[in-house]
Amino acid sequence: MSAPTHTPGPRLHGASTRLHWWALALPALAFGLLLLLLAGSGQAHAATGEASAILQVTEQILRVVG
């Protein structure tokens, strides 16, 4: 004798989902960083040994995360 199985299907009526804060924050942050990189590329010049502000911020983030 087998027991009936219940397979959950998609909720169509009254379905409510909540996004985590990072689900919106991470894409927005990535978009902003890419926009800054593109905006700063028009003013490119030879490296003088000083790191740009974007590079410094990126290095600090990688130190914290990694």
Side-chain angles (χ1 to χ4, degrees):
M1 189 156 129
S2 62
T5 59
H6 175 70
T7 56
R11 289 194 242 167
L12 299 177
H13 302 290
S16 63
T17 58
R18 294 183 60 200
L19 289 175
H20 294 285
W21 64 268
W22 48 263
L24 294 175
L26 290 179
L29 179 65
F31 177 78
L33 287 175
L34 288 173
L35 189 62
L36 282 174
L37 287 173
L38 287 174
S41 66
Q43 301 172 358
H45 56 277
T48 60
E50 295 180 13
S52 69
I54 295 173
L55 183 60
Q56 291 175 354
V57 170
T58 306
E59 287 175 349
Q60 288 177 355
I61 290 172
L62 289 175
R63 273 190 230 124
V64 170
V65 173

